């Protein structure tokens, strides 16, 4: 009886803990009530489990559902789904802990006759491990954000359905007086179903992330469309006004020229009249010029707005490099499809800024004398691996420089003051952190001639058009 009480008490407490973690609630919020509920209800559930085992799980779900619904005021569906998943994960954690302890305590059980004492010790230790496993699971980067997708309408009910199956199987455990083959099969099935919940969880986190990325991209595009429409309206007004003003200005200039030809120095009165007309015409032209200059500056500003990384130094660097590109009439574009702060787990900000500056400066030097001048800088991720790409339409690397990269300082623009130290340091940083450095000629994307990639993958590769140059 005591062992069952300990087990149920920790199952309830762990379920409430997981419920909070899933929905991103504070672990300490209502902690006293959680402990009080676990301690008090465990007596009732022990009696129910002993005499009415098949309604035990239903009663447990309804009790915890009512408790969480009253405290957290969350929608019925989200609360029910989170409770079922929490209880299923709590039981799975307890089951895994029990299996691990059984392997350790079995030799003690063989040499002792006091089975109840061993069982109580096993349940106490398994319950403690269960809590630690549950807390540790949410320390993992992938799962520490909980299940934010549960509140979304598009979220499917797979997690709820699988959890219900886990709870049904758990209820069946209590129909066995002692373990047998069927009991072991049910235990393995419940573990597999728990793994299914984890896979479903991970899949939905990925889906939520990419949905958020797409929404941000759509919002950015919609803002760009609004700006372009406004610029188009402003430019249309200029054209409409110019269609009327330019012929009038042309006529005024012609009149001034004709008057200046017919006048001589003795006609002072006419000269003053001519001067007044010229002054008025000049003022009108200056006003028109100022108006157009203001509109064109505003239009140029809206034409491309640099993305923000929320890292002050990096944003300042990208802004500076963008101005450098404008100086050489290079079309520059930057795309940040991830939270740049995530890269700080792999590299410090100073080194990140340095390699970005070196690579884009090299792209500017390679591109500035070309007819087609374009640079694209992109930071993104694929299959949970972060990378950054620099595309340009500049001259390709020559073979000699490729063979020297990472070994000696080499540059193809020594006439412009290039020393080769930029690429050398970039590859050194890649080696330091085991990043992959990849050069691809003619990447087949939007007429770019080459692409340089740095992949934060811990593989330490140096590839040129798919060939491992580190081995050559």
């Amino acid at each position: 009886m005591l062992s069952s009480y300990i087990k149920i008490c920790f199952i309830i407490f762990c379920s409430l803990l997981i419920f909070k973690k899933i929905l991103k609630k504070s672990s300490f919020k209502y902690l006293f009530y959680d402990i009080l509920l676990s301690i008090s209800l465990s007596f009732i559930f022990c009696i129910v489990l002993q005499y009415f085992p098949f309604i035990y799980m239903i009663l447990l779900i309804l009790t915890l559902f009512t408790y969480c619904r009253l405290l957290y005021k969350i929608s019925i569906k989200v609360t029910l789904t989170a409770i079922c998943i929490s209880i299923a994960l709590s039981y799975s954690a307890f089951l895994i802990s029990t299996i691990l302890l059984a392997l350790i305590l079995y030799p003690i059980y063989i040499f002792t006759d006091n089975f109840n004492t061993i069982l109580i010790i096993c349940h106490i230790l398994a319950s403690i491990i269960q809590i630690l496993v549950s807390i540790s699971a949410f320390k993992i980067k992938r799962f520490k954000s909980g299940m934010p997708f549960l509140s979304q309408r598009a979220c499917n009910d797979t997690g709820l359905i699988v959890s219900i199956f886990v709870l049904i199987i758990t209820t069946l455990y209590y129909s066995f007086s002692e373990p047998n083959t069927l009991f072991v099969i049910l235990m393995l099935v419940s573990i597999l179903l728990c793994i299914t919940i984890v896979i479903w969880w991970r899949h939905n986190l990925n889906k939520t992330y990419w949905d958020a990325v797409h929404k941000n991209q759509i919002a950015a595009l919609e803002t760009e469309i609004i700006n372009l429409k406004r610029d188009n309206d402003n430019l249309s007004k200029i054209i409409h006004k110019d269609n009327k003003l330019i012929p009038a200005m042309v006529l005024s200039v012609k009149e001034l020229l004709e008057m200046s030809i017919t006048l001589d120095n003795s006609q002072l009165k006419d000269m003053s009249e001519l001067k007044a007309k010229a002054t008025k015409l000049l003022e009108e032209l200056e006003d028109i010029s100022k108006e157009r200059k203001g509109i064109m500056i505003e239009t140029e500003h809206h034409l491309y707005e640099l993305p923000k990384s929320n890292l002050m130094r990096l944003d300042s660097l990208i802004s500076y490099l963008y101005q450098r590109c404008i100086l050489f009439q290079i079309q520059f574009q930057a795309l940040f499809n991830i939270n740049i702060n995530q890269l700080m787990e792999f590299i410090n900000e100073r080194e990140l800024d340095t390699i970005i500056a070196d690579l884009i400066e090299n792209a500017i030097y390679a591109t500035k004398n070309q007819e087609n001048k374009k640079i694209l800088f992109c930071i993104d991720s694929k299959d949970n691996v972060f990378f950054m790409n620099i595309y340009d339409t500049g001259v390709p690397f020559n073979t000699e420089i490729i063979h020297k990269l990472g070994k000696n300082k080499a540059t193809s623009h020594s006439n412009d003051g290039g020393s080769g130290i930029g690429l050398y340091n970039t590859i050194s940083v890649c080696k330091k952190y085991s990043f992959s450095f990849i050069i691809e000629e003619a990447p087949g994307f939007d007429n770019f001639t080459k692409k340089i990639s740095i992949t934060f993958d811990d593989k330490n590769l140096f590839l040129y058009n798919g060939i491992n140059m580190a081995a050559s």
Side-chain angles (χ1 to χ4, degrees), residues 2-7 10 94 97-98 101 105 116-132:
L2 180 59
S3 62
S4 295
Y5 172 80
I6 293 170
K7 174 184 173 181
F10 276 92
F94 182 84
S97 303
T98 304
L101 282 172
L105 297 177
N116 289 330
T117 302
I118 294 297
L119 190 61
I120 291 170
I121 294 172
C122 182
H123 278 175
I124 292 173
L125 293 176
S127 298
I128 294 171
I129 296 172
Q130 170 194 16
I131 298 293
L132 295 176

Side-chain angles (χ1 to χ4, degrees), residues 166 169 173 184-195:
V166 172
I169 292 172
Y173 290 166
V184 173
I185 292 173
L186 290 175
M187 184 177 65
L188 293 175
V189 170
S190 64
I191 292 174
L192 289 174
L193 289 175
C194 179
I195 293 171

